């Protein structure tokens, strides 16, 4: 497990978690683009000693932050996915995969 964590980032545990989360997001995007199977995600997580449930929980927290940051004007609405009606109902908001705030 330590070797797997070091592959993500040798700097620190926090940087490893962030790098693993970004890799998870990329794999999720790629898998969705080619209509991949869920087993690919499970295998990737197992190979890297990661929990898909924990990565999904990070997604949930990120959505909450994005909702608030968007409401406060810190994240441009053009960077957020989701229809206006969905947003008004408090539905999930996610950053576009290529959002400008992801470039920093």
């Amino acid at each position: 497990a330590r070797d797997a964590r070091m592959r993500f980032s040798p700097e620190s545990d926090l940087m490893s978690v962030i790098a693993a989360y970004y890799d998870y997001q990329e794999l999720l995007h790629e898998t969705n683009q080619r209509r991949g199977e869920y087993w690919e995600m499970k295998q990737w997580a197992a190979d890297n000693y990661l929990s898909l449930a924990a990565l999904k929980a990070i997604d949930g927290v990120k959505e909450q932050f994005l909702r608030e940051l968007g409401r406060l004007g810190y994240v441009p609405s053009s960077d957020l996915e989701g229809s206006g009606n969905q947003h008004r109902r408090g539905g999930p908001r996610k950053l576009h995969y290529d959002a400008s705030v992801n470039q920093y």
Side-chain angles (χ1 to χ4, degrees), residues 6-87:
M6 295 297 282
R7 282 193 305 266
F8 287 112
S9 175
E11 296 173 27
S12 69
D13 287 347
L14 178 59
M15 294 307 294
S16 292
V17 170
I18 291 169
Y21 178 76
Y22 283 137
D23 284 359
Y24 161 74
Q25 287 294 307
E26 285 183 29
L27 182 61
L28 185 62
H29 179 74
E30 290 170 7
T31 303
N32 287 340
Q33 289 295 325
R34 57 185 164 73
R35 304 205 189 291
E37 300 292 330
Y38 181 70
W39 65 266
E40 290 178 72
M41 297 294 293
K42 285 182 71 171
Q43 187 62 51
W44 175 83
D47 290 346
N48 290 288
Y49 300 91
L50 298 169
S51 164
L52 285 181
L55 292 165
K56 288 177 185 179
I58 292 171
D59 264 344
V61 171
K62 184 178 175 183
E63 283 180 18
Q64 291 174 21
F65 279 126
L66 284 173
R67 191 175 300 122
E68 286 304 306
L69 291 171
R71 186 181 66 78
L72 296 170
Y74 290 108
V75 174
S77 60
S78 60
D79 278 351
L80 297 172
E81 294 178 356
S83 68
N85 287 339
Q86 181 184 22
H87 177 60

